[in-house]
Amino acid sequence: MATLILVRHGRSTANTSGVLAGRTLGIALDERGAAQAAALPGRLAGVPLAAAVTSPLQRCRETLRPLLDARPGLPLHVEDRINECDYGDWSGRKLAELGDEPLMEVVQGHASAAAFPGGESMRAMQNRAVEAVRDWNARVEAEHGEDATYLMCSHGDIVKAIVADALGLHLDLFQRIHVDPCSVTAIRYTRLRPFLLRLGDTGDFAGFAPREHPDSSGTAEVGGGAGAP
């Protein structure tokens, strides 16, 4: 079956301001995010792509714009099922204040039981995203052959949920996965099992350097975080 390249959108203004954007409209890439997007065509230069699929949100479309400009024949498809998680009443709130919400502990350790007030459950989020991947795998293979590669641009929690499914991990473990802004994750799907070829690859190791104020709490950043400082 097809090979899927998952790209998390570049760093956004919400990432740098510590806000859980969710599906809030008008969230654009910041200056660094725009630079990350501009570098994407070069990073993928040697990869033939049959199609590009994107979340409908602005920050994903902006991430793919340089790639589409570099490949004018590459078809772009909008897929609602890889939209950001619907965080409901949490959308637009500061992540720092959400840390005190009792639900955050459930989100961190028992994600399959977490449902956002006024929004969706994390289980529903994973189900729709994985269903989209399966449908696009079949479509790309039927139209371009079993060796075809295609790209999806989506959001941190969506990418993590798809990776967890590919690895056979329970959703309760998906917070152990981390993907930085504009990172590339690749999964090759076969008849018997998926193979994870790359995970959160940015080509930049600055994030491994010791931080001035390290966080040893083990808390995952809902929405994916802003990446290396």
Side-chain angles (χ1 to χ4, degrees):
M1 296 175 69
T3 296
L4 168 62
I5 293 180
L6 282 165
V7 177
R8 183 186 168 198
H9 63 76
R11 198 174 75 174
S12 73
T13 54
N15 293 145
T16 46
S17 60
V19 169
L20 184 62
R23 297 182 179 182
T24 305
L25 300 180
I27 303 297
L29 299 183
D30 67 6
E31 185 176 351
R32 180 171 179 175
Q36 291 170 334
L40 191 60
R43 292 169 62 198
L44 298 176
V47 183
L49 295 173
V53 184
T54 184
S55 156
L57 294 184
Q58 177 180 342
R59 53 195 183 271
C60 288
R61 292 173 176 269
E62 289 182 351
T63 298
L64 288 188
R65 189 170 298 150
L67 179 66
L68 296 171
D69 288 345
R71 303 192 189 199
L74 181 64
L76 177 67
H77 307 273
V78 177
E79 173 57 76
D80 287 336
R81 291 175 295 177
I82 61 169
N83 199 349
E84 176 65 286
C85 183
D86 184 356
Y87 297 114
D89 297 344
W90 280 26
S91 300
R93 293 179 61 186
K94 288 280 189 179
L95 287 164
E97 69 180 43
L98 289 172
D100 295 328
E101 293 280 354
L103 178 60
M104 182 60 83
E105 187 175 5
V106 183
V107 170
Q108 293 292 324
H110 192 15
S112 63
F116 295 99
E120 70 178 333
S121 69
M122 302 199 86
R123 188 175 63 255
M125 173 199 74
Q126 183 184 46
N127 288 343
R128 63 173 166 82
V130 170
E131 181 182 64
V133 168
R134 300 295 180 181
D135 288 349
W136 276 100
N137 284 349
R139 175 173 174 176
V140 168
E141 182 180 3
E143 294 179 2
H144 302 281
E146 62 181 13
D147 293 327
T149 299
Y150 71 106
L151 179 148
M152 278 186 170
C153 185
S154 189
H155 308 269
D157 281 348
I158 298 291
V159 173
K160 289 162 56 177
I162 292 170
V163 170
D165 171 77
L167 292 176
L169 288 178
H170 196 282
L171 183 61
D172 289 349
L173 302 178
F174 100 125
Q175 298 290 22
R176 301 184 182 194
I177 301 167
H178 180 79
V179 289
D180 276 340
C182 221
S183 61
V184 172
T185 295
I187 304 170
R188 177 175 295 140
Y189 288 87
T190 75
R191 185 173 61 86
L192 295 181
R193 64 182 61 85
F195 292 91
L196 182 64
L197 307 179
R198 295 286 189 279
L199 176 61
D201 188 345
T202 63
D204 180 2
F205 296 100
F208 297 160
R211 299 194 178 190
E212 184 177 352
H213 303 290
D215 179 10
S216 59
S217 68
T219 300
E221 294 188 71
V222 180

